[in-house]
Each structure stands twice: as structure tokens, then as C-alpha cells.
Amino acid sequence: MAEPKRIVILGSTGSIGVQTLDVVRSHGERLNVVGLAAGSNAELVAQQAREFGVETVALADEQAAAGLADGPWRMLAGADGVCDLVDVAEPDLVVGAISGSAGLRSLMRALQAGVDCALANKEPLVVAGGIVTEAARKSGAQLLPVDSELSAIFQCMRGEQSAEVEKIMLTASGGPFSKLSMAELQEVTAEQALAHPTWRMGRKVTIDSATLANKGFEVFETMWLFGVQARQIEVVVHHQSIVHSLVEFQDSSVIAQLGLPDMRVPIQLALLYPDRAQNDLPRLSLAQAGSLTFAEPDTERFPCLRLALETARAGETYPAVLNGADEVAVYEFLAGRIGFMQIPALIEQALGEHESMHGASMADVVEADRWAREFVAARVAEA
Amino acid sequence: MAEPKRIVILGSTGSIGVQTLDVVRSHGERLNVVGLAAGSNAELVAQQAREFGVETVALADEQAAAGLADGPWRMLAGADGVCDLVDVAEPDLVVGAISGSAGLRSLMRALQAGVDCALANKEPLVVAGGIVTEAARKSGAQLLPVDSELSAIFQCMRGEQSAEVEKIMLTASGGPFSKLSMAELQEVTAEQALAHPTWRMGRKVTIDSATLANKGFEVFETMWLFGVQARQIEVVVHHQSIVHSLVEFQDSSVIAQLGLPDMRVPIQLALLYPDRAQNDLPRLSLAQAGSLTFAEPDTERFPCLRLALETARAGETYPAVLNGADEVAVYEFLAGRIGFMQIPALIEQALGEHESMHGASMADVVEADRWAREFVAARVAEA
């Protein structure tokens, strides 16, 4: 038996972080959690650190960090502390699960150091896909997707040649509102949107799933992780969330990955890659599922998907604007200050007003992101 | 560009043989047909040999062979001639598409010589799976499945570990009579059975598809090609014939292969393996397919499937009896001498009366096969 893999979880108190620790509980002999980072939830991170005997803990919130200073761990504080954790803990694998573009810096630190990363948050690849994948390429670090759709594609590609891929089909549950009319969509509240039926996940991702913005973000992830063009990516609505995505090859053959919706499956694969370790998670019964349905997405009622596809084709600093505008718009929607259909409307305005920097350096990206956030916040404040 | 692959097609005038040549037409720069073998269709094999400039031709029917003696090719005759073709033509790959257990000898000759084989006929693996796979293992020859379901599993296994397979799900179209009652099944005629809706294939295979015996044979192929136990194999009815089969791994993840039903896809992969060469075959549109359905098979109305699963568990000479009894029963059904439901009834009687030889040497297999054929023929003659 090899030494347990040393892992650091960035975002351990969020939905993905908590499920990652679930997986570690089932495979404790092969995984050793050596570092945890979170935002401000000191109580939960301390409990996690105690259970797993973690050596180093980081909290982005400095005040919260101060409260944990005398635990049986080395304590790091602030956004810099979260980044330093990656160096200090000397991990074999970093799980990047910090929601929003805040996860970008710590992820970059890990990749530049040549540490493999299991990537759960989409934003780094949306706003800075070229920079992130180039950093991984340079250092030889491997990027392992944790998202169920991206993990599905990754699994479909095992043993295959990238050059033989013709098309990637991303499946979309369609979100909880797939059957609502445009008029009904305008009346949707944050409460309704947060009652998502299929996947257990955070508030921001839940809203993004309802608008299909999340599916749009996966288009960027797919482009960058698998080296395909935006025009090679198709989104297909599949309500049952059993087929997690598909890859079509140039011989017309299609490979798909299926399973009951459970994030622990892709998390486990990313943690223990390349092994598929035995587990006792529920098994798929196709006869019990009965019927799997597929349909084209309606980009009129769900414009976020159209905007993402257009942005993926445009490139430059537009993706950073898409992401920044979406984050603020979703925040405003959750706060009850704008309606559901204003999310895509505000993103579209931001994309329309944005003057591209015709590049995508880290400075360009940061500036475009800042501009988009201010733009949307200002529009909401004006209304 | 490498030298074209030298291929020999055993059974070139049958459905698989003809489609194999279709594939060669599309990839002529990579494939060179150096030998063709058929039964008695001298006219078609001569036409094929002329079109592809084939060096050596073999016909099992010696009289038919005599008629082709003065063509621009070396001519071989008789069952021995078909076997000799494999040596004489010096192929890189043999396509084994001779229907029935007659294909076994020529296949064994190729495998023993270390020549890779694309296997389209099921009987060799049903009656003598242990012998065939052992011959391949010893010589290092690769066995490449051509059957759409078996090719699907083969594709799902690319880049995966056999030891991590938990279960293999073979899909079954259910055949043309999946909705008929027991009483209606008893009245089915050969003509009705030959009007199979989905796959283009020979008469014997078409009847075996209607009784689900064919799916039962695939259970044996699956066991031997992928080294799994009969209990790890599940058959699931899938009328659309789009999901060609699935593999479940021990982490609960399922990989599937999909596509429009077209034998040229698995044939092409077997011929050009490991490459997935570009082609212009029709592409699958999931949105257009709309719905994929799955159900458990009804082994009461289709007892051939149950008999095959039981036989797969029993092993020894029972598989040879299953296959031999089925071949004669199907022949009698096609000749209009027995009813559709007598096919499984006769197979079940043969299996019940058979005294296993507790081994499965080639001599045992040949003897059990002979016994089963005589048994069924005698029962039909008596009635």
C-alpha cells in the first residue's frame, strides 16, 4: 500500500468541501487531509480539522482566523493565508472548491507549484481559462474536473485521442423552471430557485443552474480542459440527470458517462485518480429509470446559455465580464432586489457595453471583472 | 503513412462481409484486402475479388470453387482451403464472419498463428470460448469484437481496468415481437421474423434476435472477451437500439457507447483499431431521438435468454449443446417445420437430456455439438 495522498481542500465548509470530506471518510487509508481553507465558518472548519487531524488551517476572514489561533494546528489568515496554505501544507492534490473568482489565486499558486488540482469551482476556467491551463501545462500539474458533467467528459475521454473528438454534448437538467413560461419566469423568487431538485449544492450555483448560466460556464470549462472549440460543444436538456455528458468521436461513435446524481462519484474519482475505488453508493438501474429524455435547450427563455455560448466564441475579456456580471446579478437576485429575468438582462447589457481589452492577461481579466461588477451594481442601484 | 493493413475476410458474401467491404471502400488507403473466403456464392466473391484486386480466394463449396479456378487469383477449395487461406494470404487481420460453428476452425488457425481477429460470428465464443481466448492469449493475437454490443463494451473499457468492472449491461432491442403475447408468439412465421426492424443482418441471426437467443450468445462473448462472470452480466431491453451497451464500474460510475444502429461503425473500429477514423456516417442527435427507454427482459415469453444465462453459469459442454440445438431448431423453423416457441422448447429439452462431459476440450465440444444437432433433428422428425 502506497503512502496516503496528502490533500488540501480550499473551501472545505462549502457543499463540495463537505462532500469531499465524506469521500475521505470512506477512503481514509488512501487519503490524508493536511490542509483546510474556508471563508469565515470557524466553527465548522475547526470541527473538520479535529476530526481529520489536519496540520494547517486557513481562514480568509482574519477575525474568524484569530478565534482559532490556539487550536492543535498551524493557523493562516486572510486571502494571502489561503494561498500560502498550498505551499505550507505540501499537498499531492489540492481540491479547489472556493466559489467565485476568489478561488483563482489559490488555484494558480497550486498549479504553478506543479501540484495536481481537483477543480470544482468553474470561475477560474471561465474568466482565465487560458492562463490556468497554461500554468498547468508548464508545471506538469494535472487538472482533474470535479463537476459531474466535466468529470463525465473526462471519463469518456479515458483511453481516447483528443484529436479524434468531433463534438462534446453537455447535458443540462434544464433547472427547476424548465417548464415555466416567460411571464412565469419573471415572477420567480429566490426561495423558489433555491429549492433545486437534483443536486446538493451552494446558493450561487443553484441560481446559476436555474438560469442555465451554470451550463454556460461548463462550456468554458469544456473548451479549456479538453482543448475543443466552442462550436464543437452542444448543450442538450436531459431532465433525469442520469447521463452526465457525452463525447462524439469522428467515427460517429458516442461515449457517455451515466450514474445516479451524486457528487461523491466525481469527487472520489478526482481524489483517487486513476483508480475507481469500490464504494457502496447507490447503483443506477436503467430498468427502474425507465426512460431518459433529451431535448434542445430553449435559449429564449434561458438567455444566459445563449450569452455564454456567444461569449465563448468571442473570447478576450468578455468571459470575465460574463462571470463578474453574473456574480453580482445573482447576488442582487438573492437579496430580492431584482427579478429572475433581470439576471440575463443585466449580463447582456454588461457584455454590450464592455470594451474588450483584446487580450486576456491576468491584469486584463481582473480589470474586466471589476468593471462588470461595478457596471451591474450601478445599474441595479439606478433602478 | 504506414503500409495498408492486410486483411482477410472469412465470410465475405454474408451481411457482415459485405459491410466490411463497404468500410474498406471508404478507407482504401489504409486497408488492403488480400484474401476472401465464402461458402458457395462464386459470383459475388469473384466480383468482390475483382473490385479489390484480391490475391487469394477460397470457397468452402469445392464445385463452386472449381468454377473460379481461372481467375486472376490463387484459388483454394473446401473447408481446408478456407483454413489455409489464413496462412497463404499472410494477413495482419482476419475478419471472422462465417456464420455458425463452421467459423471456429479458420478462426483458431488465425489465432494460433498470432494474427489479430475481428470477430463477428458469435458461435466460436459460445461453444469454445475458453479454447479460443486461450489460443489468443498464448500467441498474443488480439480479439476485436465486431458485434455492436460487444464493440460497445470494448469501447467502454478503453483506458479502464478490467479488475474495476462491477457489471456489464447488454442492451437488447427486444426483437420484433417484444410486444406479442405468448399465444401470438406461437403463431409467428419465419417471414414475419425475417422482417427485423433495426439491424441489417443474415437470416440465422435475425431469428436468433427475435427469440433473444442472440442476446444470450452475447452473454458468452462478454464473459470470454472481458473476463467477467455470468452473474456480472445483465440484459436490459432498449427498443431504440441507440445505447449499444454499458459497463458499470465499482465506483458506481457507468460508461456507455451510443450511436445510430450501423454495423459499419464497429466494423471500422475493428479494422482500423486503435484509430477512430473520420467517416461520413449519419450522426446521432439525442434531441431528435427524444427518449431512450429501458426495461427488464421477459424471460417467460423469451426463454432462450433464460436458457443462455443458465447455460453460461453451467459451463462445460452445455454451451455447445445450446448452440448446436439452436442452429438446428432455427433451421427447422425457417423451413416451416416447427413453430416459433418450439425453438426454445427444443433447446431446453436438449439441455435437459444432455449428459455433460465435465470438460470443454475441442473434442468434447465437437461431440456435444453433434449430439445436440442429432437430438433436435430427431425430435422434429418424430413429431
Side-chain angles (χ1 to χ4, degrees), chain A residues 188-191 193-194 203-204 207-208 211 323-347 372-383:
Chain A
V188 160
T189 64
E191 252 181 4
L194 290 174
R203 286 157 59 93
K204 163 73 163 56
I207 304 303
D208 283 338
T211 63
N323 181 68
D326 178 70
E327 269 192 46
V328 176
V330 169
Y331 171 78
E332 298 289 350
F333 171 71
L334 284 170
R337 283 189 290 266
I338 64 171
F340 186 75
M341 291 306 289
Q342 281 180 277
I343 301 173
L346 286 164
I347 298 171
R373 285 165 197 270
E374 280 179 13
F375 176 90
V376 172
R379 284 289 161 109
V380 174
E382 280 164 21

Side-chain angles (χ1 to χ4, degrees), chain A residues 152 155-156 158-160 164 166-167 169 171 236 246 248-260 265 268-269 274-279 281-288 290-296, chain B residues 152 155-156 158-160 164 166-167 169 171 236 246 248-260 265 268-269 274-279 281-288 290-296:
Chain A
Q155 292 178 58
C156 294
R158 287 183 87 167
E160 302 285 353
E164 295 179 348
E166 185 163 289
K167 192 168 77 178
M169 289 171 267
T171 52
V236 58
L246 314 90
E248 181 180 291
F249 295 90
Q250 62 182 6
D251 65 348
S252 87
S253 186
V254 175
I255 303 291
Q257 190 265 338
L258 296 80
L260 294 174
V265 180
Q268 182 192 305
L269 183 63
D275 296 341
R276 294 183 177 278
Q278 173 73 45
N279 62 33
L281 297 174
R283 262 51 182 169
L284 171 65
S285 160
L286 283 173
Q288 210 174 313
S291 176
L292 304 177
T293 62
F294 301 91
E296 280 176 24
Chain B
Q155 293 178 58
C156 294
R158 286 183 88 165
E160 301 285 354
E164 294 178 348
E166 185 162 287
K167 192 167 77 179
M169 288 172 268
T171 52
V236 58
L246 315 90
E248 181 181 292
F249 295 90
Q250 62 182 5
D251 65 348
S252 87
S253 186
V254 175
I255 304 292
Q257 190 265 337
L258 296 80
L260 294 173
V265 180
Q268 181 192 304
L269 183 62
D275 296 343
R276 294 183 176 280
Q278 173 74 44
N279 62 33
L281 297 174
R283 263 48 181 168
L284 171 66
S285 160
L286 282 173
Q288 209 173 313
S291 176
L292 304 177
T293 62
F294 301 90
E296 281 176 22

Side-chain angles (χ1 to χ4, degrees), chain B residues 179-345:
Chain B
K179 291 194 171 66
L180 298 194
S181 69
M182 189 69 99
E184 289 168 324
L185 284 173
Q186 270 152 357
E187 304 303 320
V188 160
T189 65
E191 252 180 2
Q192 292 170 318
L194 290 173
H196 189 280
T198 309
W199 296 95
R200 185 153 61 102
M201 55 195 179
R203 286 157 57 92
K204 163 71 164 57
V205 182
T206 301
I207 304 303
D208 283 337
S209 295
T211 64
L212 296 199
N214 191 57
K215 200 52 53 181
F217 295 153
E218 290 169 9
V219 170
F220 293 90
E221 292 186 276
T222 304
M223 284 174 60
W224 291 113
L225 285 175
F226 304 104
V228 295
Q229 306 293 314
R231 63 175 167 71
Q232 289 177 281
I233 304 170
E234 196 177 283
V235 172
V236 58
V237 174
H238 168 53
H239 292 303
Q240 297 80 19
S241 293
I242 283 177
V243 179
H244 299 318
S245 279
L246 315 90
V247 177
E248 181 181 292
F249 295 90
Q250 62 182 5
D251 65 348
S252 87
S253 186
V254 175
I255 304 292
Q257 190 265 337
L258 296 80
L260 294 173
D262 192 322
M263 283 305 297
R264 288 171 294 182
V265 180
I267 291 172
Q268 181 192 304
L269 183 62
L271 294 183
L272 298 176
Y273 184 81
D275 296 343
R276 294 183 176 280
Q278 173 74 44
N279 62 33
D280 55 4
L281 297 174
R283 263 48 181 168
L284 171 66
S285 160
L286 282 173
Q288 209 173 313
S291 176
L292 304 177
T293 62
F294 301 90
E296 281 176 22
D298 180 348
T299 53
E300 239 176 280
R301 287 183 302 130
F302 298 96
C304 284
L305 181 57
R306 172 179 54 80
L307 294 170
L309 287 164
E310 288 170 7
T311 305
R313 287 191 179 88
E316 301 180 353
T317 44
Y318 288 106
V321 170
L322 176 84
N323 181 68
D326 179 69
E327 269 191 49
V328 176
V330 169
Y331 171 77
E332 298 288 350
F333 171 72
L334 284 169
R337 284 190 290 267
I338 64 170
F340 187 74
M341 291 306 288
Q342 281 180 276
I343 301 173

Side-chain angles (χ1 to χ4, degrees), chain A residues 18-259:
Chain A
V18 166
Q19 292 181 80
T20 299
L21 289 171
D22 261 3
V23 172
V24 174
R25 271 185 205 100
S26 303
H27 300 280
E29 76 294 349
R30 301 189 53 186
L31 298 167
N32 179 16
V33 185
V34 295
L36 294 174
S40 60
N41 192 340
E43 195 181 341
L44 180 53
V45 85
Q47 185 190 313
Q48 293 172 335
R50 266 184 220 104
E51 178 183 348
F52 292 93
V54 176
E55 299 156 11
T56 317
V57 175
L59 279 174
D61 183 315
E62 308 210 1
Q63 208 176 336
L68 289 188
D70 53 0
W73 43 65
R74 176 162 176 184
M75 194 69 215
L76 302 171
D80 287 342
V82 171
C83 282
D84 292 342
L85 173 63
V86 170
D87 300 326
V88 170
E90 297 184 351
D92 299 312
L93 179 81
V94 165
V95 178
I98 293 180
S99 169
S101 48
L104 183 54
R105 269 183 64 209
S106 47
L107 174 74
M108 284 299 291
R109 182 78 76 94
L111 291 176
Q112 282 159 350
V115 177
D116 293 342
C117 289
L119 191 56
N121 54 324
K122 302 181 156 63
E123 289 79 358
L125 289 179
V126 176
V127 304
I131 299 168
V132 168
T133 50
E134 177 61 15
R137 200 195 56 75
K138 260 194 184 161
S139 73
Q142 188 155 24
L143 269 171
L144 297 153
V146 164
D147 236 344
S148 62
E149 290 82 354
L150 278 290
S151 175
I153 299 165
F154 185 75
Q155 292 178 58
C156 294
M157 290 292 302
R158 287 183 87 167
E160 302 285 353
Q161 302 295 323
S162 303
E164 295 179 348
V165 171
E166 185 163 289
K167 192 168 77 178
I168 292 181
M169 289 171 267
L170 278 169
T171 52
S173 74
F177 308 131
S178 60
K179 292 192 171 69
L180 298 193
S181 69
M182 189 69 102
E184 288 168 326
L185 284 172
Q186 271 153 357
E187 303 304 319
V188 160
T189 64
E191 252 181 4
Q192 292 169 317
L194 290 174
H196 189 279
T198 307
W199 295 96
R200 183 153 62 102
M201 54 195 180
R203 286 157 59 93
K204 163 73 163 56
V205 182
T206 301
I207 304 303
D208 283 338
S209 295
T211 63
L212 296 198
N214 191 57
K215 199 55 53 182
F217 294 153
E218 290 169 10
V219 170
F220 293 90
E221 291 186 278
T222 302
M223 285 174 61
W224 290 114
L225 284 176
F226 305 104
V228 294
Q229 305 294 315
R231 61 172 170 75
Q232 290 177 279
I233 303 171
E234 196 178 284
V235 173
V236 58
V237 174
H238 168 54
H239 291 303
Q240 297 80 19
S241 293
I242 283 177
V243 179
H244 299 318
S245 279
L246 314 90
V247 177
E248 181 180 291
F249 295 90
Q250 62 182 6
D251 65 348
S252 87
S253 186
V254 175
I255 303 291
Q257 190 265 338
L258 296 80

Side-chain angles (χ1 to χ4, degrees), chain B residues 110-122:
Chain B
L111 291 176
Q112 282 159 351
V115 177
D116 293 343
C117 289
L119 191 56
N121 54 324
K122 302 182 155 64

